[in-house]
Amino acid sequence: MSNEWNLAPAAESTSSAEIKERYELFINGEWQAPSDGNYFETISPASEESLAQVAAAGQKDVDRAFEAANAAFKPWSALPAAERGKYIYRIARMIQERSRELAVVESLDGGKPIRESRDIDVPLAAAHFFYYAGWADKLEYAFPQRDPKPLGVAAQIIPWNFPLLMAAWKIAPALACGNTVVLKPAETTPLTALKLAEIIKDAGLPPGVVNIITGAGETGAMMTAHKIPKKLAFTGSTDVGKMIYKAALQGNKKVTLELGGKAANIIFDDAPIEAAVEGIINGIYFNQGHVCCAGSRLFVQESVYDQVLMKLKRRMDQLVVGDPLDKNTDIGAINSKSQLQTIEEYLEVGRAEGSEIYQPECELPEIGYWCRPTLFTNVAQSNRIAQEEIFGPVLAIQTFRTIEEVIDKANNTPYGLSAGVWTDKGSKIFQLTKAMKAGVVWANTFNKFDPTSPFGGYKESGFGREGGIHGLSAYLDF
Amino acid sequence: MSRLNIQKTYKLFIGGKFPRTESGRSYSIENDKGALIANMCHASRKDFRNSVVVARKAQAGWAGKTAFNRSQILYRLAEMLEARSASFSEEIQLLGSSKSDADKEVVDAIDTLVYYAGWCDKYTALFSSVNPTASAHFNFTVHEPTGVVAAVAPEQNGLLGLVQIIAPIICGGNTTVVLASNTMGTSAISFAEVVQNSDVPGGVINILTGVMSELTPHMASHMDVNALVIARIGLSDESRDAVIENVKRFADWSTSEVDSNPYRILDFQEAKSTWHPVQTSTGGVSGY
């Protein structure tokens, strides 16, 4: 049989996605032009076409945003908590109502497959607002013998891998706890956060409660150095996270950091192999591997190594790389040109270190930023591709014989965000999940997220939790 | 004929042993009349680093004990301290405290140990959660120890201040290297004798005496220390900022008096969320 049975194109219509030519800054409930008059382009990484001009916030804009948030804090925190919660419920509902549009824009701006933005990013963002809305009038039950109070203004900086979802993770608990916020999305993916600003305006939130400003790292630095915020919340790289931690210490601000990772995904010989292979694929190729908790280090018990590798390669051969807006696409576009360069450098590093590379021979579009799903075998623990966060669809495979050996290897990293373990034996699951120095451990599953489940790291993957009851204390003063 | 009494040599407490500082340095503690009370070890950076090595070695074993066992060991510390309360009171009085103040400091230290002994097997139940995810998963969040904690005890209340900072750290399965009070550290080193007699494994509690400004830069920057807690004012900004190098957890307890509550334990805990799928039966439903 020939391999002509290719999937027919199944492109999602973009007609629902209205993108303005130019976006201003959302400050004090209004769209305000940047005082320096600077704008930057946001492009589609799949087509390299410009999607919109976006305002670059300078110092005066950052000042205005924090002043608006500061002025809004007193009345917002003084609202009856149930009323505060109802505003947040409204946001959740409006995200659901505009879910199709948000999903399309997310995939256009960031390059992720529409299947993921439609089924994961947008529903989870709505669920996050819905979950924390309900906490607003129940905070005193969460902390026995304590008197929880809002902190004030929060400065929040989020990355480009889950733009809308990270905005939800940051804004929802902050508002529920009675704070006001200034949020900055990443410069390559500002559009869904700006759509969220439209929703927040439509929901009738009092002006200044949520301010969304756009810009690059310099704008972020102005935010973290600013006098007004009492709280810094950051998701992103460990290097930038350390700078933000320092700014927080120097400014005597509360801080939570959700930083990089290099998760171990551990397959034992008694694992359900077919399910484990799906878990490996989902662990590292979900969202092009642009996931801080990606299962980028695979540890396979020696006795099943050949079998797992064969099935894994066969599964990789079936992955569809291409148009993010095609519903059949498994792996979309790499988020930016610079990230593609970073990934390609690591591919070179892997080869140079003596590891063997495997990539399926799938066709790639000629325009846009693409990377085939990649795995490396013959990887040593000390190799850079086994130590450093690549943030791309690149898997480093190692083998092990004993439980003790794999626990040592898995924990031998400065990171500690997540881990995965696959085995059919319950007691072994708990031995491993207890031994992993990681904030999120998936057993016989991977890359699952839920607003009720706290997420965050050990060690240099940061501290503080987002989600669940534990996510509240990040935004409260006691 | 009057008998010449035997004075105690105060040393460091590292890995369950009482070594002198490797630096050979000392400083003196005097009472308010200027009389010599003791020559104390002036611990060096290397003493601190050696302490971290043994604290790290001891950490997995300590965290791996059952919570009930840790609870009994903390209670044992209280028992041993109670038995020696008179001598601790006298030792504290030598530094100028009144008898009633010294007695109170000792009983407060004992009661603090009993308080946290009780928390060992309870705080996880109080602060854990089972999370009702919107998918077929069993998902729960529990706390685990952060690891090795470097600590600076308050300058006042050499015994009580030390106990108030050590107890919540070790209650939660961490090991610690703690810098005791500089001017009131005699009772802290005597407390090490209590530790040694209480089934606390060597390396779980390590106690140094010395100079805060000299040791805190190394406490903050050490890459194998997971958390730093300061219960004494005077930490320089430069020293503090070094905690960023390995994203060390930092707790500042210097701004108010240290009280006892279970939230102190959480300053040295990490929350772990564990997921597992739940099988759902898709077979036939009963039909009426």
Side-chain angles (χ1 to χ4, degrees):
Chain A
M1 198 156 81
S2 78
N3 56 359
E4 295 301 306
W5 292 78
N6 290 326
L7 295 162
E12 173 73 49
S13 161
T14 57
S15 62
S16 62
E18 187 207 331
I19 299 175
K20 290 190 254 179
E21 275 177 34
R22 175 187 270 195
Y23 282 91
E24 312 293 355
L25 306 165
F26 184 68
I27 297 172
N28 205 28
E30 290 168 1
W31 295 100
Q32 301 193 12
S35 49
D36 302 334
N38 293 333
Y39 294 83
F40 61 94
E41 271 192 344
T42 185
I43 65 158
S44 157
S47 67
E48 300 182 47
E49 285 168 5
S50 174
L51 295 170
Q53 297 287 316
V54 179
Q59 186 64 53
K60 282 182 192 157
D61 308 309
V62 171
D63 290 345
R64 272 191 293 156
F66 279 116
E67 280 154 19
N70 207 27
F73 171 65
K74 257 196 180 167
W76 175 249
S77 56
L79 272 186
E83 297 302 303
R84 218 165 59 221
K86 280 151 70 177
Y87 279 110
I88 306 168
Y89 276 123
R90 271 196 191 179
I91 298 171
R93 281 306 202 210
M94 288 186 176
I95 291 173
Q96 290 175 323
E97 286 161 10
R98 292 175 65 175
S99 60
R100 184 185 169 112
E101 173 196 0
L102 289 166
V104 169
V105 174
E106 196 73 302
S107 285
L108 272 175
D109 201 18
K112 67 171 63 197
I114 186 72
R115 195 162 44 82
E116 292 176 10
S117 47
R118 180 195 65 198
D119 296 347
I120 297 167
D121 293 66
V122 175
L124 271 178
H128 224 85
F129 279 103
F130 203 89
Y131 174 79
Y132 276 111
W135 267 120
D137 59 352
K138 302 169 188 69
L139 298 174
E140 59 269 33
Y141 297 99
F143 304 96
Q145 305 272 336
R146 280 190 143 180
D147 181 20
K149 294 209 163 47
L151 292 162
V153 178
Q156 306 179 314
I157 298 173
I158 58 171
W160 43 260
N161 57 343
F162 295 92
L164 180 68
L165 183 58
M166 291 300 109
W169 280 27
K170 294 280 179 289
I171 294 173
L175 297 189
C177 294
N179 306 281
T180 58
V181 308
V182 177
L183 175 123
K184 185 188 88 64
E187 67 269 28
T188 63
T189 55
L191 293 183
T192 46
L194 294 164
K195 289 268 170 196
L196 181 61
E198 294 172 2
I199 287 173
I200 283 164
K201 196 169 163 53
D202 291 344
L205 254 76
V209 171
V210 175
N211 305 275
I212 294 180
I213 61 174
T214 41
E218 306 83 70
T219 308
M222 292 170 198
M223 291 170 67
T224 58
H226 206 276
K227 281 199 170 64
I228 288 178
K230 296 280 198 295
K231 156 86 187 185
L232 304 181
F234 173 73
T235 297
S237 72
T238 292
D239 286 345
V240 176
K242 288 176 182 177
M243 284 161 24
I244 288 176
Y245 191 10
K246 191 171 186 173
L249 289 166
Q250 291 176 342
N252 196 23
K253 302 175 196 299
K254 194 163 172 166
V255 60
T256 44
L257 303 169
E258 202 272 86
L259 309 179
K262 192 75 185 176
N265 200 0
I266 301 167
I267 317 291
F268 283 96
D269 58 6
D270 60 355
I273 298 294
E274 304 291 341
V277 167
E278 279 308 306
I280 298 165
I281 295 281
N282 177 45
I284 184 62
Y285 302 128
F286 172 57
N287 199 28
Q288 298 74 248
H290 302 328
V291 184
C292 45
C293 53
S296 51
R297 290 183 298 152
L298 177 65
F299 292 94
V300 186
Q301 198 155 22
E302 271 186 11
S303 50
V304 290
Y305 175 70
D306 292 339
Q307 188 192 356
V308 168
L309 192 64
M310 185 264 290
K311 290 187 173 183
L312 183 58
K313 286 179 176 174
R314 201 162 65 194
R315 183 69 182 86
M316 284 169 74
D317 292 345
Q318 293 161 354
L319 293 172
V320 179
V321 184
D323 183 6
L325 289 173
D326 191 311
K327 287 169 228 169
N328 293 318
T329 294
D330 297 303
I331 299 180
I334 298 301
N335 185 266
S336 66
K337 195 171 188 175
S338 76
Q339 186 57 28
L340 182 59
Q341 281 166 354
T342 301
I343 295 166
E344 284 172 348
E345 279 168 28
Y346 274 108
L347 299 184
E348 278 312 304
V349 166
R351 287 192 186 96
E353 285 176 327
S355 300
E356 284 168 39
I357 189 170
Y358 177 80
Q359 292 179 317
E361 292 181 1
C362 55
E363 272 181 48
L364 298 181
E366 291 190 354
I367 298 171
Y369 314 131
W370 311 97
C371 180
R372 291 188 173 87
T374 305
L375 66 76
F376 278 105
T377 52
N378 196 21
V379 177
Q381 182 76 3
S382 58
N383 286 167
R384 282 180 62 197
I385 55 167
Q387 288 288 327
E388 297 173 17
E389 183 175 47
I390 299 173
F391 227 61
V394 183
L395 182 65
I397 306 183
Q398 296 172 263
T399 59
F400 68 95
R401 288 184 184 173
T402 66
I403 292 185
E404 293 71 26
E405 178 193 356
V406 77
I407 289 172
D408 272 358
K409 283 181 167 174
N411 284 334
N412 183 6
T413 162
Y415 294 116
L417 188 54
S418 65
V421 52
W422 298 79
T423 166
D424 221 18
K425 192 173 177 191
S427 58
K428 195 149 69 181
I429 288 173
F430 285 117
Q431 180 183 1
L432 264 291
T433 57
K434 279 181 79 169
M436 290 298 102
K437 300 281 184 212
V440 184
V441 184
W442 290 290
N444 292 325
T445 184
F446 209 95
N447 271 347
K448 298 293 178 213
F449 311 96
D450 195 277
T452 66
S453 181
F455 183 96
Y458 284 32
K459 302 194 283 186
E460 293 192 31
S461 289
F463 51 75
R465 291 294 175 265
E466 297 185 294
I469 191 170
H470 298 81
L472 292 170
S473 57
Y475 288 97
L476 290 168
D477 186 25
F478 299 102
Chain B
M1 198 174 96
S2 70
R3 175 182 174 276
L4 189 65
N5 68 331
I6 305 295
Q7 289 182 334
K8 179 147 88 181
T9 305
Y10 290 89
K11 298 195 279 186
L12 306 177
F13 184 59
I14 300 173
K17 298 191 173 70
F18 291 92
R20 285 198 172 82
T21 168
E22 61 81 33
S23 68
R25 300 176 303 175
S26 66
Y27 68 94
S28 54
I29 290 182
E30 297 169 352
N31 67 9
D32 50 359
K33 297 183 182 67
L36 179 71
I37 302 296
N39 289 313
M40 306 296 288
C41 282
H42 182 157
S44 66
R45 166 189 169 169
K46 187 157 195 302
D47 292 318
F48 172 71
R49 297 184 70 88
N50 291 343
S51 304
V52 172
V53 170
V54 295
R56 174 59 65 195
K57 275 198 185 133
Q59 201 269 322
W62 179 242
K65 286 190 182 298
T66 66
F68 175 49
N69 196 191
R70 279 204 308 276
S71 178
Q72 291 183 97
I73 291 172
L74 261 82
Y75 188 78
R76 181 75 177 160
L77 281 169
E79 289 179 338
M80 291 293 104
L81 189 54
E82 180 82 45
R84 294 182 52 181
S85 54
S87 72
F88 269 94
S89 177
E90 283 167 22
E91 191 175 37
I92 292 166
Q93 288 171 55
L94 282 179
L95 299 174
S97 286
S98 68
K99 181 169 186 313
S100 63
D101 285 352
D103 285 348
K104 184 168 187 326
E105 181 175 345
V106 177
V107 297
D108 284 352
I110 295 165
D111 291 351
T112 299
L113 288 165
V114 173
Y115 179 77
Y116 283 106
W119 272 121
C120 290
D121 54 4
K122 297 173 189 67
Y123 77 90
T124 45
L126 191 63
F127 298 121
S128 294
S129 61
V130 174
N131 311 310
T133 61
S135 56
H137 292 95
F138 183 56
N139 181 237
F140 57 92
T141 303
V142 293
H143 282 99
E144 292 182 349
T146 296
V148 174
V149 182
V152 177
E155 189 55 42
Q156 296 303 309
N157 299 331
L159 175 65
L160 177 61
L162 183 90
V163 167
Q164 282 175 324
I165 204 165
I166 285 176
I169 293 172
I170 65 165
C171 168
N174 301 282
T175 57
T176 185
V177 182
V178 57
L179 177 66
S181 165
N182 176 282
T183 54
M184 307 184 104
T186 46
S187 53
I189 294 301
S190 295
F191 181 73
E193 297 159 16
V194 169
V195 173
Q196 214 195 17
N197 282 308
S198 304
D199 301 326
V200 178
V204 172
I205 299 171
N206 305 278
I207 305 173
L208 307 179
T209 50
V211 177
M212 177 179 170
S213 60
E214 184 185 329
L215 289 180
T216 44
H218 309 299
M219 291 177 146
S221 63
H222 198 298
M223 294 300 277
D224 202 30
V225 171
N226 302 102
L228 173 66
V229 54
I230 301 282
R232 191 186 309 178
I233 54 167
L235 179 68
S236 74
D237 290 355
E238 298 75 46
S239 300
R240 180 201 61 202
D241 291 352
V243 298
I244 70 166
E245 286 171 29
N246 67 339
V247 194
K248 200 176 270 100
R249 285 71 174 127
F250 175 65
D252 185 353
W253 292 4
S254 69
T255 51
S256 60
E257 210 167 296
V258 179
D259 56 353
S260 293
N261 67 66
Y263 294 101
R264 300 261 177 214
I265 304 167
L266 296 191
D267 278 354
F268 317 108
Q269 297 286 303
E270 307 289 325
K272 176 187 278 182
S273 297
T274 303
W275 294 69
H276 197 279
V278 176
Q279 185 168 309
T280 49
S281 298
T282 52
V285 291
S286 61
Y288 289 120

